[in-house]
Amino acid sequence: MADIACSPAVEKAVRDFFADTSDLPSAVVCSACEAGMLAAAKLRDIYNLPGTRSSLALRLTNKGEQRRAWQALASPNFVVINRDNTNIASALSEICSEKVIIKPIDSSGSRGITVMRRQDISRDALEWALTWSGSGELIIEEFVDGKEYTIESLRLHGKSYPILVTSKEKVAGTYSTVANLLVSSILSASQSKQIQLLIQQAHDALGYDNGVCHTEVIEDAKGRFWLVETAGRGAGFGVSEHFIKYATGYDYFEASLCFDLGLSVEVPPSNLPTLISAVRFLENVPGTLIDIVNDSDSEVHLLASPGTKLSPPRTDGDRMAYFYVQGHCHKVVNEKIMATLAKIHVKVE
C-alpha cells in the first residue's frame, strides 16, 4: 500500500510488485483523481506508457505553473507564497483587487481556499491553505467578481472540444467556495465562442495535446471570461464517471480510460443534447451519519456510509450524496430538485 499523492512511495510499491516477475505494467489509469496524477505520470515515464508524463502533469496540477504559462491570457494576477515568507504586504504589491483568494498551489476540490479582503489576510487563512499543499506553497490571487462556469472538455491532437458547460451554486457560509449544485448552461453564440477560444489557448499554452480536461472560468460583469484553472483529468464526485454522459450522451469516462490505455478516442459530436441537466450534491450535516432515506423518484448516490463522522462543509469533499435531474427549462429543473430534496431524509446523531 502507498499514498497515491506520494510519487516516490508509489514508484517503490510498483517496482517491488514487479520485482520478482518478468511482467511489466502496460498502462496506468488515473481518472478524476488530482492526487494521483503526478505519481501516475512518473510511472509512465519509467515504463514508457501512454498518457500524461511528468513535466506536463506538473503544469496541470500546479496553479503557479499554470499562471506563469497563462501570463499573456486572461487570468487573475497572483503571487506565490511559501511557508517561510513573512512579508505578505510586499508580496501583494502587484495585486490590485480589494478581495483576494488564498488557495494551496497544488490541491483541488476547493480544499484550503479562503476568500477575504486583502487587508484582512490572516495567518489562519495562510495556514489553512498550507495544510492542503503537498509542496508547502500557496497562491494569493485577485478576486474576479462574476459568474463561475466549469467546462468539461476533450483535448484531441491539439484541438479542444467543449462537451459540457455548467454553472455553480455554492453552500451558504462557505465564502463562495463549496459547490452544491452544477447545472448545464445554455450559452449565447458569443459566450460559446469566447469559451472555445479561451480553453484552446489555455491548453495550447500548457502544451496539453491529448486528454480530458476540467476547466474553471469566470465571466465578469463586462462579459469577459477569465481563466481560473484547468486540470488534465475529469471532474470528481461522479461528474466524470456518470453525469457528463447523463447530460450529453457522450461517454466521457470511457474517453478518459482510452487516453490512459493508449486507445483511439472518438471526436465528440458537434450537436449534443440541449436538455437542462443538474447534479445536486448533499453537503454534510455535522454529526455521525446514521442513514439517508430516499423517498423520492430520483436515485441517490451515496458518498458517505453509515457511521461516517461528518464535518461542516468547508471543501467540495464534505459531501454525503448526490442525485441528478433533467428538464426542458431551469424552472422545471429547480422544481424537480426541490421536490427531491423534500423527500430525502438525512439522519445524523
Side-chain angles (χ1 to χ4, degrees):
M1 298 291 290
D3 180 356
I4 61 172
C6 180
S7 293
V10 172
E11 178 185 343
K12 182 179 185 306
V14 172
R15 287 187 184 276
D16 288 348
F17 180 83
F18 286 101
D20 298 324
T21 176
S22 59
D23 294 332
L24 291 173
S26 56
V28 179
V29 174
C30 182
S31 180
C33 177
E34 184 99 352
M37 282 185 63
L38 292 177
K42 179 63 176 177
L43 293 177
R44 296 186 188 114
D45 292 345
I46 294 169
Y47 295 105
N48 192 28
L49 300 174
T52 300
R53 301 295 184 89
S54 290
S55 58
L56 176 57
L58 180 62
R59 295 193 295 274
L60 291 168
T61 56
N62 186 290
K63 296 172 180 61
E65 294 291 330
Q66 285 189 20
R67 295 298 194 283
R68 294 182 188 102
W70 292 345
Q71 286 182 348
L73 304 178
S75 184
N77 286 337
F78 73 100
V79 291
V80 175
I81 304 291
N82 62 39
R83 196 176 296 277
D84 300 324
N85 192 325
T86 57
N87 193 351
I88 303 300
S90 175
L92 290 175
S93 61
E94 295 187 13
I95 294 183
C96 301
S97 63
E98 179 183 352
K99 275 184 173 180
V100 297
I101 301 178
I102 303 168
K103 61 178 70 172
I105 204 168
D106 51 0
S107 188
S108 62
S110 298
R111 295 172 178 86
I113 293 180
T114 305
V115 178
M116 61 196 322
R117 297 189 306 169
R118 56 184 295 151
Q119 62 264 38
D120 295 334
I121 291 177
S122 65
R123 176 53 59 179
D124 285 347
L126 302 181
E127 289 298 330
W128 173 238
L130 288 169
T131 297
W132 295 98
S133 172
S135 64
E137 291 185 315
L138 58 86
I139 65 171
I140 303 175
E141 66 183 23
E142 291 179 340
F143 179 82
V144 178
D145 195 12
K147 186 173 183 179
E148 185 177 345
Y149 295 91
T150 59
I151 303 121
E152 315 302 338
S153 66
L154 198 73
R155 183 76 166 169
L156 191 58
H157 306 308
K159 184 174 180 180
S160 299
Y161 297 89
I163 296 172
L164 178 65
V165 179
T166 57
S167 59
K168 292 183 178 182
E169 289 189 13
K170 305 296 182 71
V171 178
T174 62
Y175 301 100
S176 297
T177 60
V178 180
N180 63 0
L181 179 66
L182 298 180
V183 184
S184 57
S185 301
I186 298 178
L187 305 174
S188 68
S190 173
Q191 288 174 312
S192 296
K193 185 177 180 180
Q194 287 188 71
I195 284 176
Q196 168 68 55
L197 177 60
L198 192 57
I199 66 169
Q200 179 73 38
Q201 292 173 330
H203 297 146
D204 286 348
L206 294 171
Y208 189 35
D209 290 331
N210 291 284
V212 295
C213 319
H214 171 72
T215 305
E216 297 180 1
V217 301
I218 292 176
E219 182 184 23
D220 66 19
K222 296 181 179 179
R224 184 184 186 189
F225 283 87
W226 296 79
L227 283 167
V228 178
E229 58 191 57
T230 197
R233 55 166 176 81
F237 304 102
V239 174
S240 174
E241 300 96 318
H242 308 295
F243 181 64
I244 299 174
K245 186 175 182 180
Y246 171 85
T248 69
Y250 183 78
D251 200 331
Y252 184 86
F253 186 60
E254 180 180 283
S256 176
L257 295 177
C258 287
F259 280 121
D260 284 347
L261 295 172
L263 303 176
S264 61
V265 175
E266 292 185 8
V267 174
S270 56
N271 294 313
L272 294 167
T274 56
L275 275 177
I276 304 297
S277 300
V279 51
R280 176 60 159 89
F281 298 103
L282 303 183
E283 64 270 21
N284 283 0
V285 176
T288 300
L289 180 63
I290 303 303
D291 197 9
I292 297 178
V293 179
N294 176 30
D295 294 325
S296 75
D297 294 330
S298 298
E299 183 179 0
V300 174
H301 305 268
L302 299 182
L303 293 169
S305 56
T308 302
K309 186 174 181 180
L310 305 174
S311 57
R314 294 191 69 181
T315 77
D316 284 345
D318 298 321
R319 294 164 169 168
M320 302 178 293
Y322 61 89
F323 62 87
Y324 304 146
V325 297
Q326 279 182 331
H328 288 88
C329 65
H330 284 96
K331 181 176 183 293
V332 169
V333 167
N334 288 335
E335 288 173 349
K336 287 185 176 181
I337 289 172
M338 297 308 295
T340 300
L341 289 172
K343 293 185 177 182
I344 296 175
H345 312 284
V346 179
K347 299 179 180 180
V348 298
E349 65 177 16

